[in-house]
């Protein structure tokens, strides 16, 4: 188990593994700190909001598939006790600099859907990108990273059109080559000065198609990034071992020597009936803690830094405002942040959890209310019939 001392040692990594030049103008903050301005994009740890637009609010029927939280309620009483806003804008205001989403083709339109548009549909991709763009318009000293899971293999041209419609393509950073990982990334100040402040990764996308589509800023994620495993349901099972892409799976040394950036998935799922997993809000404060518990974010970051030989580039979490996720990242980067605003009315997860039976009942209700869920239930019924025969 790692202590606060581990995090203090981890905070020295930017000095150990990369030269940090003081910002020329200490009054100018890049990504909420003057100390980050002259640091390479690849020498910074960024907090990521996993499935950023998938909220648990009225717009999604308080779906348990939501990975970011808006309304606090007592699950076993379905009683609203508090409300606040933690949408993508609020996440960026609080210091999140990586936002991720899943993209699905829903009857010809690109929507943000969690696994299936029948389960949770957060609306049009272009609308959400417009929200990110509006924030970037107002925050000109910030570099933002967007990671899109391209669930239905949409083309570069299709995705580019969404960025154009949102008016955010103008911020896209296009490296000199996009078929292999970069040995050297620009500094934040360089990206800001060039107004190429949007780094966009897509999983997956054929790099050879982005140029002809007029979208060289759309970067195939696994050309530039490796990830550890996800869908973890036991806090003791978090691992730093690369899981994707296949070229570096299981081999940390190969992943690091490939110059890929490191994305550490650190969110806990809850295994429920029918083989369904949902984001585990009950343990969010512990999962996102600095230290003191098995599976804390701070412990995982320290462990991965030790194994990688350098600080992780991204820490991706659910329920970003629960626990100490942003403080953990600030400690790793060795900064005292400025210019942030936190979501108000911090929730108490213990008021939300309720009994497992209550959660399972809610999941069952979500299933029978969607075509996808109906198919799942029909399949289970057929299995039961076969067993009985």
């Amino acid at each position: 188990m790692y202590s606060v001392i581990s995090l203090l040692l981890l905070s020295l990594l930017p000095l150990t593994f990369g030269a940090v030049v003081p910002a020329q103008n200490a009054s100018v903050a890049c990504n909420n700190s003057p100390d980050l301005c002259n640091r390479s994009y690849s020498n910074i740890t960024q907090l990521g909001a996993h499935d950023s637009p998938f909220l648990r609010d009225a717009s999604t029927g308080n779906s348990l598939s939501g990975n970011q939280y808006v309304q606090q309620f007592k699950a076993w009483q379905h009683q609203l006790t508090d409300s606040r806003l933690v949408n993508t804008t609020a996440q960026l205001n609080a210091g999140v600099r990586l936002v991720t989403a899943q993209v699905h083709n829903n009857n010809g339109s690109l929507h943000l859907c969690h696994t299936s548009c029948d389960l949770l549909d957060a609306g049009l991709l272009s609308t959400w990108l417009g929200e990110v763009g509006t924030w970037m318009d107002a925050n000109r000293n910030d570099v933002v990273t967007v990671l899109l899971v391209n669930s239905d293999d949409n083309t570069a041209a299709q995705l580019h059109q969404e960025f154009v419609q949102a008016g955010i393509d103008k911020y896209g950073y296009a490296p000199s080559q996009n078929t292999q990982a970069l040995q050297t990334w620009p500094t934040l100040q360089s990206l800001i000065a060039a107004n190429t402040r949007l780094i966009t990764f897509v999983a997956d996308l054929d790099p050879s198609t982005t140029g002809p589509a007029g979208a060289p800023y759309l970067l195939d994620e696994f050309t530039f990034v490796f990830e550890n495993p996800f869908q973890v349901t036991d806090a003791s099972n978090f691992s730093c071992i690369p899981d994707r892409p296949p070229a570096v799976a299981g081999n940390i040394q190969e992943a690091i020597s490939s110059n890929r950036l490191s994305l550490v998935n650190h969110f806990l799922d809850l295994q429920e009936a029918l083989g369904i997993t949902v984001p585990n809000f009950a343990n969010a404060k512990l999962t996102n803690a600095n230290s003191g518990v098995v599976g804390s974010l701070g412990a995982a970051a320290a462990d991965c830094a030790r194994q990688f030989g350098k600080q992780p580039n991204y820490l991706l979490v659910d329920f970003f405002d629960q626990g100490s996720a942003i403080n953990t990242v600030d400690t790793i980067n060795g900064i005292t942040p400025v210019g942030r605003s936190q979501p108000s009315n911090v929730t108490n997860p213990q008021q939300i959890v309720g009994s497992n039976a209550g959660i399972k009942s809610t999941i069952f209700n979500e299933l029978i209310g969607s075509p996808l869920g109906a198919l799942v239930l029909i399949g289970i019924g057929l299995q039961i019939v076969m067993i009985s025969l």
Side-chain angles (χ1 to χ4, degrees):
M1 185 177 298
Y2 291 81
S3 66
V4 175
I5 295 176
S6 300
L7 281 174
L8 292 175
L9 292 174
L10 185 56
S11 70
L12 299 176
L13 282 170
L15 298 176
T16 304
F17 295 103
V20 180
V21 181
Q24 293 179 356
N25 185 348
S27 65
V28 176
C30 305
N31 284 24
N32 300 125
S33 173
D35 296 328
L36 296 180
C37 290
N38 286 335
R39 201 178 296 178
S40 167
Y41 176 85
S42 60
N43 192 32
I44 294 170
T45 300
Q46 302 183 52
L47 179 64
H50 177 229
D51 286 340
S52 167
F54 300 151
L55 308 178
R56 295 192 183 189
D57 70 351
S59 70
T60 65
N62 291 311
S63 173
L64 291 176
S65 297
N67 300 82
Q68 305 299 332
Y69 194 65
V70 173
Q71 293 182 330
Q72 175 180 342
F73 64 97
K74 296 180 180 179
W76 64 96
Q77 297 176 354
H78 301 284
Q79 175 185 347
L80 183 68
T81 61
D82 193 12
S83 64
R84 66 209 174 115
L85 190 66
V86 292
N87 61 9
T88 298
T89 298
Q91 294 161 22
L92 293 169
N93 285 339
V96 168
R97 288 297 175 271
L98 165 67
V99 288
T100 78
Q102 301 175 35
V103 181
H104 290 256
N105 192 316
N106 188 17
N107 297 321
S109 298
L110 298 192
H111 280 235
L112 302 173
C113 301
H114 197 299
T115 309
S116 164
C117 293
D118 294 322
L119 185 62
L120 191 159
D121 187 342
L124 293 170
L125 169 60
S126 59
T127 300
W128 180 67
L129 290 175
E131 180 184 350
V132 176
T134 297
W135 189 89
M136 293 184 70
D137 292 342
N139 295 271
R140 298 185 177 276
N141 269 11
D142 289 271
V143 176
V144 175
T145 302
V146 169
L147 169 56
L148 299 178
V149 177
N150 191 17
S151 303
D152 292 332
D153 296 324
N154 300 290
T155 67
Q158 288 174 301
L159 294 169
H160 175 53
Q161 183 57 41
E162 300 293 310
F163 281 76
V164 171
Q165 185 174 343
I168 198 175
D169 60 304
K170 62 188 177 185
Y171 292 132
Y173 168 69
S176 57
Q177 58 82 25
N178 66 354
T179 58
Q180 63 182 16
L182 301 182
Q183 288 189 341
T184 304
W185 283 82
T187 64
L188 292 193
Q189 187 62 68
S190 297
L191 292 167
I192 291 166
N195 207 25
T196 53
R197 301 182 288 115
L198 177 67
I199 312 297
T200 305
F201 297 117
V202 181
D204 293 298
L205 192 66
D206 182 351
S208 67
T209 66
T210 60
Y217 62 89
L218 295 178
L219 309 179
D220 173 59
E221 180 196 0
F222 294 118
T223 298
F224 294 89
V225 179
F226 75 88
E227 295 188 17
N228 66 332
F230 63 105
Q231 289 187 331
V232 175
T233 57
D234 186 328
S236 64
N237 287 340
F238 286 116
S239 169
C240 303
I241 303 297
D243 182 58
R244 296 178 295 171
V248 300
N251 192 327
I252 289 179
Q253 183 177 357
E254 181 67 25
I256 296 300
S257 64
S258 73
N259 293 318
R260 287 177 171 89
L261 303 171
S262 57
L263 188 153
V264 175
N265 293 298
H266 193 82
F267 43 88
L268 198 63
D269 289 330
L270 186 66
Q271 185 74 48
E272 287 298 336
L274 314 180
I276 297 168
T277 59
V278 296
N280 190 334
F281 184 81
N283 286 334
K285 281 194 172 182
L286 302 179
T287 305
N288 293 346
N290 273 324
S291 61
V293 295
V294 173
S296 69
L297 179 64
D303 190 26
C304 291
R306 178 181 59 81
Q307 295 189 52
F308 296 165
K310 59 182 180 180
Q311 66 191 87
N313 296 109
Y314 314 100
L315 298 178
L316 190 62
V317 302
D318 282 339
F319 312 112
F320 81 96
D321 57 325
Q322 299 297 307
S324 308
I326 190 63
N327 292 334
T328 297
V329 170
D330 289 341
T331 299
I332 295 171
N333 285 325
I335 65 168
T336 300
V338 296
R340 290 181 184 160
S341 61
Q342 299 298 324
S344 59
N345 302 326
V346 176
T347 62
N348 177 0
Q350 299 306 319
Q351 291 182 294
I352 299 172
V353 181
S355 65
N356 285 335
I359 294 176
K360 291 176 182 177
S361 174
T362 304
I363 295 171
F364 183 82
N365 290 338
E366 289 186 8
L367 278 173
I368 63 176
S370 71
L372 175 66
L375 289 174
V376 172
L377 294 176
I378 290 171
I380 292 171
L382 289 174
Q383 290 183 29
I384 293 173
V385 170
M386 293 295 291
I387 292 172
S388 66
L389 294 176

